[in-house]
Amino acid sequence: TTFGIIGSNGSGKSTQAKRLAQRLSAAGRACWLTAEPSAGPAGKLLRAIFSHQYSADDRVIAALFVADRFDHILQAPDGIIAKQQSNSLVISDRYYLSSYAYQGVHLGLETVMRLNADCVALCRPDLHLFIDTDPEICLQRIAETRASLELYETRENLLQVQAQIHSSQLALEMAQQAALDSARSNADQLTARIHARVKQVYGDKLG
């Protein structure tokens, strides 16, 4: 079983991914919490680009995300498929819907979907949880926790990402089976809503 948690930088998705993993682990389920960009070679290069250590065209960034995602899915013994086969619940902080949102703004949604098609075919999450947060709140949280902004962490870009997600919301729900959860509540309330959504889909067997 794989859960993808997506949202803008500063949306609280990383916090919620950790809380979901902790809660399911406490219920006796083996969990593997992971993230994209991954810790692999392509992921490390992406992190260098985001922190302005290296510059790259948006087409290069999109291609690197696809390469990193293949590695993330197929790497053994620490890839998504390997972890699924060992009966671990996989919780990924970002997955391909994040590329649809972020790279889709710069390259177009159809192009990004086409680039990621083989990754999606290899490993589609059982449930996507989208944390929808006002970009102004995201930027405020980022400013409070970090000394510098990463690539894409501008008001204009976050507004475009949010618009991209909302304009594609129905298509994503229908075609990608994405479950959307709003972050218009405090962190504890959102944690409870996410866990309730997971239990709604998978029942009490998840704790």
Side-chain angles (χ1 to χ4, degrees), residues 45-46 49-50 54-65 102-103 106-107 111 115 151-152:
L45 181 52
L46 281 165
I49 292 169
F50 289 155
Y54 181 77
S55 61
D57 185 88
D58 289 311
R59 290 164 291 188
V60 175
I61 293 172
L64 282 170
F65 262 111
Y102 276 84
Q103 278 70 61
H106 301 281
L107 300 179
T111 296
L115 287 171
L151 186 69
Y152 298 147

Side-chain angles (χ1 to χ4, degrees), residues 89-100:
L89 295 173
V90 177
I91 300 170
S92 185
D93 177 353
R94 294 201 183 286
Y95 201 40
Y96 59 80
L97 291 190
S98 296
S99 285
Y100 290 4

Side-chain angles (χ1 to χ4, degrees), residues 66-140:
V66 173
D68 184 48
R69 193 159 290 129
F70 270 122
D71 192 36
H72 194 201
I73 293 169
L74 296 170
Q75 184 64 247
D78 292 321
I80 292 175
I81 289 176
K83 293 297 184 181
Q84 289 176 328
Q85 291 173 343
S86 68
N87 294 318
S88 291
L89 295 173
V90 177
I91 300 170
S92 185
D93 177 353
R94 294 201 183 286
Y95 201 40
Y96 59 80
L97 291 190
S98 296
S99 285
Y100 290 4
Y102 276 84
Q103 278 70 61
V105 166
H106 301 281
L107 300 179
L109 180 60
E110 289 186 6
T111 296
V112 178
M113 290 180 73
R114 185 171 63 253
L115 287 171
N116 282 273
D118 287 341
C119 292
V120 176
L122 269 174
C123 187
R124 185 190 298 269
D126 298 276
L127 182 67
H128 259 122
L129 293 158
F130 167 52
I131 301 179
D132 186 11
T133 310
D134 187 314
E136 299 291 354
I137 295 175
C138 292
L139 287 170
Q140 180 181 345

